[in-house]
Amino acid sequence: MTNHKPPRIELTVQQVQALIDRGEQRSFAEQDYPIVLTIIRNYFALDYAHQEKSHTVRRLLNRFFGHRTEKSKEVLKSSSPEQEPPNSLTPTGKGTPKEKPKGHGRNAASAYEGAQKVCVPHLCYKAGDPCPLCLKGKLYPFGEPGVEVRIVGRAPLEAAVYELEKLRCNLCGKIFTAQVPDEAGKDKYDETAGAMIALLKYGGGFPFNRMENLQESLGVPLPASTQWEIVEGTADKIHPVYSELIRQAAQGELLYNDDTTMKILANLKKPEVDDETLGKGSFTTGVLAVQDERRIALFFTGPKHAGDNMAKLLEQRASGLSPPIQMCDALSRNVPKALETILAHCLAHARRNFVDLVSSFPEECRYVIEALAEVYYHDKMAKEQNMSADQRLRFHRDRSGPVMERLNEWLQKQFDQRKVEPNSSMGKAIAYMLNHWEPLTLFLRVPGAPIDNNLCEQMLKRAILHRKNALFFKTEHGAYIGDLFMSLVHTCTLNRVNPFHYLTTLQKHSSELFKNPKRWLPWNYQQAAMTPA
């Protein structure tokens, strides 16, 4: 179809009815044929425009009300009911269904690492007593103790009120007040309070006002303004670790990055600035760095896009290191302009363009989705077999290489044989893959190159959770505090470290941390806490 505007035909109601009558009688006049041809062309032009608009509306509806997963089994099952879609885990569709894990969601007692351990001796017997049943043997400790778990509800932040006794001399009037016990500590809000508030706010998306209401209903009031003061004070004690994480991430061999929108109220009140490097809105950039099998999560909120934040991050990269692999989608604003990276693009983004069009182009979309399902299956096999980067590269070349070659030929054929209109939604989806084919297939040429940006998108859900609940940051300083805690908490999660214990320990060793923050990263802080500086 072309983009030319359909010609307009001016006809009265009587003329239209007369034309219909002549058509029913199969007696068109000579002057009727140009009108009929124009009507036919206009019909297909309007149908094409309606179809393209429907794709846009359907894509929007799918984002809110569509499938909660984009797996092939769910996406393709409605495209052709008579044909069962293949299992996305195997290229042949003969995969066995996953068995449900044992336990059905129940946690073992060993999972309650933060629970208080209470040893309960037997009330009637002890080791060495004669057996009350046979009266001949003696009792002795046997195996692991029996375990019962009891869970109680408490306020996230608890309080202790120390009532200090006062004594007064009846002669001189001197008042003697009891001393605060040592276990009470010196500060009203100790290190655990700052760690808990930061974890709830920036790790769990719990807004300050909601926390204030909860605490008040549980009899331990904690105003939102006080929570902010505690969090800000906590950040003052530990911020060198955030700077050290940024420096460590800059040395990573693999960097994922992506953007999501985030509002900063103070920036909305500022006048417009003529700076082309700054965007018109505010964004939170997520960067996931992989270095020596460790994962570092970083968040940067402000007017800069992901590419600008990546460029600033890579300025701290050591000069002797080779360029890192960068995984992102194909938006130009995700790529640093001044620094060199080995660019890889996300196959999931390219695949999603076809997922949105399954209902309109079922066969074409099925071919693409099933081809990419094979690639994902091969990548899953490589992970399950713990292949090295070089082994994974050879495996993908042997298994996924032919699949991607056939897919490339099929995509080219759609345009060469004019099976698809280039300006249509399907044409744009095909053009996206062909135009970015090299970075989309980097995993076939470079060891360790990922096939999608899903890890970064999962990481950005933490910032999105904060946005859904708190809606905005008030100032850029507040955004920095949020970035700091979200980065530390999510880095702990990625490295299977208890974030509450980590934040508490950093505050207790603040002076040592400032001297050498490199010793207080999530993977080595426990050793630093046990070793004198």
Side-chain angles (χ1 to χ4, degrees), residues 296-365:
I296 300 174
L298 297 176
F299 295 87
F300 305 100
T301 301
K304 294 184 178 180
H305 288 292
D308 299 322
N309 288 316
M310 277 287 293
K312 186 176 181 181
L313 172 71
L314 292 176
E315 289 176 357
Q316 301 190 45
R317 189 174 180 84
S319 58
L321 295 178
S322 58
I325 300 172
Q326 180 192 358
M327 165 54 73
C328 60
D329 60 52
L331 289 175
S332 59
R333 68 189 189 188
N334 287 332
V335 182
K337 298 178 176 60
L339 299 170
E340 180 183 359
T341 60
I342 303 173
L343 191 60
H345 281 338
C346 176
L347 266 183
H349 276 78
R351 179 183 180 275
R352 191 169 298 134
N353 293 330
F354 294 93
V355 169
D356 292 334
L357 300 175
V358 166
S359 58
S360 300
F361 303 92
E363 295 305 319
E364 295 86 345
C365 293

Side-chain angles (χ1 to χ4, degrees), residues 9 20 42 83 120 183 192 225 233 289 320 337 347 365 371 376 414 487 509 521:
I9 306 174
I20 294 174
N42 288 356
Q83 183 177 357
V120 183
E183 61 267 20
T192 60
S225 58
K337 298 178 176 60
L347 266 183
C365 293
Y376 273 90
Q414 305 309 301
S487 299
H509 298 83
L521 299 172

Side-chain angles (χ1 to χ4, degrees), residues 154-158 191-216 218 220 222-223 227-228 230-231 234 461-471 473 481-482 484-486 488-490 493 498-501 503-504 507:
R154 292 194 176 97
L157 279 88
E158 296 183 334
E191 294 85 0
T192 60
M196 177 59 71
I197 297 172
L199 188 58
L200 288 172
K201 166 71 172 175
Y202 301 108
F206 215 80
F208 288 145
N209 289 330
R210 197 175 300 169
M211 172 75 79
E212 177 182 352
N213 295 334
L214 175 63
Q215 288 290 135
E216 185 176 2
L218 296 174
V220 188
L222 189 65
Q227 295 176 53
W228 164 249
I230 296 172
V231 166
T234 301
K461 289 181 179 179
R462 189 174 298 275
I464 295 171
L465 178 65
H466 177 272
R467 183 183 67 205
K468 288 171 63 178
N469 288 278
L471 303 181
F473 289 111
I481 300 295
L484 182 153
F485 282 113
M486 282 192 281
L488 295 183
V489 169
H490 196 55
T493 303
N498 186 324
F500 176 75
H501 184 265
L503 295 176
T504 304
Q507 295 175 76

